[in-house]
Amino acid sequence: SKLLKNDNTYMRARAIWVLAELGRTGLQKVRKQLKSDAEQVRVVAYRALRRQGKGLVSLSKHMAEDPSPAVKREVALAMRNLPYSQAKDVLITLAKAYDGKDRHYLEALGTGATGKESSIYDELLLRIGSNNELKWSTAFANIAWRLHPPQSADAFGKWAQSSAVGEKNQTAALVALAYIGNEKAVSEIL
């Protein structure tokens, strides 16, 4: 417990991992670290609590609101092995917070959506996307590219053919179509 007050964040992190293994009292002290000013400490506290395997969904819903992209990336990664019904709200919150620039955040979000790509794409299309793919925000276009669900083949086909989105985005659309790889995507490439 004394190490939690140490100025060295690495020492605090070591204390968090030990405390998480010491029962309810230790876990309570670890939960308090989720409010630390140091994002590294919040990441470690989240990881330690996640490892305990209790209340992951509610913990993740709370931590998805954290201001730190590093914390949000950890939360996204934790969603990977959860069923869509449990991960949906967390992934939506995280997707809404994506700035369209942070590649590490995008990859963590994509990894968290593994096995749920089509479902989360449909939900995000309604919430932050647009039925007019040429009006997609950079953030949503990046998310769609990373998820590359089969139902996005038409949209990426239109991107690939539209000079309005720019050459870089046309190339990205072709890559997305290649990742999709179904018959519709291949016909869009040809």
Side-chain angles (χ1 to χ4, degrees):
S1 293
K2 289 179 185 178
L3 288 176
L4 289 176
K5 296 179 179 87
N6 196 303
D7 290 337
N8 184 326
T9 55
Y10 295 105
M11 295 304 289
R12 289 167 68 185
R14 289 179 179 171
I16 288 168
W17 281 109
V18 171
L19 285 167
E21 300 294 331
L22 298 178
R24 189 173 15 163
T25 303
L27 288 172
Q28 288 173 346
K29 291 179 182 184
V30 172
R31 279 188 199 95
K32 289 180 183 176
Q33 297 306 303
L34 295 172
K35 296 178 182 173
S36 170
D37 290 339
E39 75 178 5
Q40 291 174 324
V41 171
R42 294 193 311 273
V43 166
V44 171
Y46 177 79
R47 285 178 180 167
L49 292 168
R50 175 183 170 199
R51 184 175 179 189
Q52 295 303 312
K54 298 176 184 167
L56 176 61
V57 175
S58 62
L59 173 65
S60 297
K61 284 180 182 178
H62 172 71
M63 295 309 290
E65 301 285 347
D66 192 278
S68 165
V71 173
K72 290 178 180 182
R73 288 191 304 260
E74 277 303 311
V75 174
L77 293 172
M79 299 297 102
R80 180 179 187 160
N81 296 320
L82 293 179
Y84 178 69
S85 62
Q86 292 179 359
K88 173 185 167 185
D89 292 339
V90 173
L91 290 171
I92 290 168
T93 299
L94 294 170
K96 286 179 175 180
Y98 173 57
D99 65 4
K101 298 174 189 170
D102 185 337
R103 179 63 184 208
H104 299 289
Y105 191 107
L106 179 62
E107 287 303 317
L109 185 60
T111 300
T114 298
K116 310 175 256 305
E117 294 92 348
S118 289
S119 298
I120 196 67
Y121 172 83
D122 288 342
E123 191 67 39
L124 292 175
L125 184 63
L126 293 172
R127 293 177 185 239
I128 63 174
S130 168
N131 286 329
N132 181 348
E133 54 282 323
L134 299 179
K135 293 186 178 183
W136 285 354
S137 67
T138 300
F140 182 75
N142 289 349
I143 291 169
W145 178 88
R146 176 55 180 85
L147 297 175
H148 50 272
Q151 67 268 38
S152 66
D154 283 332
F156 282 118
K158 289 178 184 169
W159 269 57
Q161 295 173 16
S162 175
S163 60
V165 299
E167 187 176 333
K168 181 181 173 186
N169 288 330
Q170 286 177 296
T171 302
L174 287 172
V175 171
L177 290 166
Y179 279 134
I180 294 167
N182 64 17
E183 189 175 326
K184 175 65 179 159
V186 172
S187 70
E188 289 291 340
I189 293 172
L190 300 175

